[in-house]
């Protein structure tokens, strides 16, 4: 059972292998990349629900990946993983839209919790997008027909 599509970007092959193997065993579909550029190319060409990326890589950083991902699809959560954890880096990553920031060595049980939380919030966001009309902010509940403005107002109030 596919629990979600995860893209892992890390220049260290052993780290990619461990994370990919662990997350596959948890039921996720995994794509991997060895660089920021390769990861962004995969993100552009495949369906991805979550990105896990190393912070420091030759040829590009995790923040570079974050900015590219957010330009392509701002709703996809991104988790930064780094061996060089510091408060300034974490604050910058979160300010720029990262879902979370994890220090190496990665504790796999903690990674599972963060991944599941990120995917859950992403799913809620996607579900909300299907009932909210982006043009006027009104709610549209499937199967419910309401043409009158009074009924639309009532539906909007109840949905909030």
């Amino acid at each position: 059972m596919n629990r979600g599509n995860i893209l892992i970007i890390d220049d260290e092959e052993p780290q990619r292998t461990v994370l990919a193997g662990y997350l596959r065993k948890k039921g996720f579909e995994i794509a991997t990349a060895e660089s920021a550029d390769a990861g962004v190319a995969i993100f552009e060409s495949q369906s991805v629900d979550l990105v896990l990326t190393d912070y420091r890589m030759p040829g590009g950083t995790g923040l570079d990946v974050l900015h590219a991902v957010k330009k392509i699809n701002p709703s996809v959560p991104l988790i930064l993983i780094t061996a060089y954890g510091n408060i300034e880096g974490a604050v910058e990553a979160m300010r720029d839209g990262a879902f979370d920031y994890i220090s190496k060595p990665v504790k796999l049980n903690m990674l599972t919790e963060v991944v599941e939380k990120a995917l859950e919030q992403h799913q809620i966001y996607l579900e909300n997008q299907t009932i909210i009309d982006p043009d006027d902010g009104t709610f549209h509940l499937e199967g419910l027909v309401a043409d009158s403005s009074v009924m639309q107002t009532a539906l909007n109030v109840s949905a909030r």
Side-chain angles (χ1 to χ4, degrees), residues 101-150:
Y101 190 90
I102 299 173
S103 294
K104 290 181 182 178
V106 176
K107 295 177 182 153
L108 295 177
N109 60 342
M110 185 180 88
L111 176 66
T112 303
E113 290 176 23
V114 173
V115 164
E116 288 175 349
K117 186 187 294 184
L119 289 171
E120 180 181 319
Q121 286 188 9
H122 180 60
Q123 185 61 37
I124 290 169
Y125 171 83
L126 294 175
E127 289 170 3
N128 285 338
Q129 292 306 100
T130 63
I131 64 169
I132 299 172
D133 186 334
D135 294 329
D136 62 10
T138 59
F139 292 85
H140 301 278
L141 303 175
E142 193 171 316
L144 200 58
V145 178
D147 288 330
S148 77
S149 62
V150 172

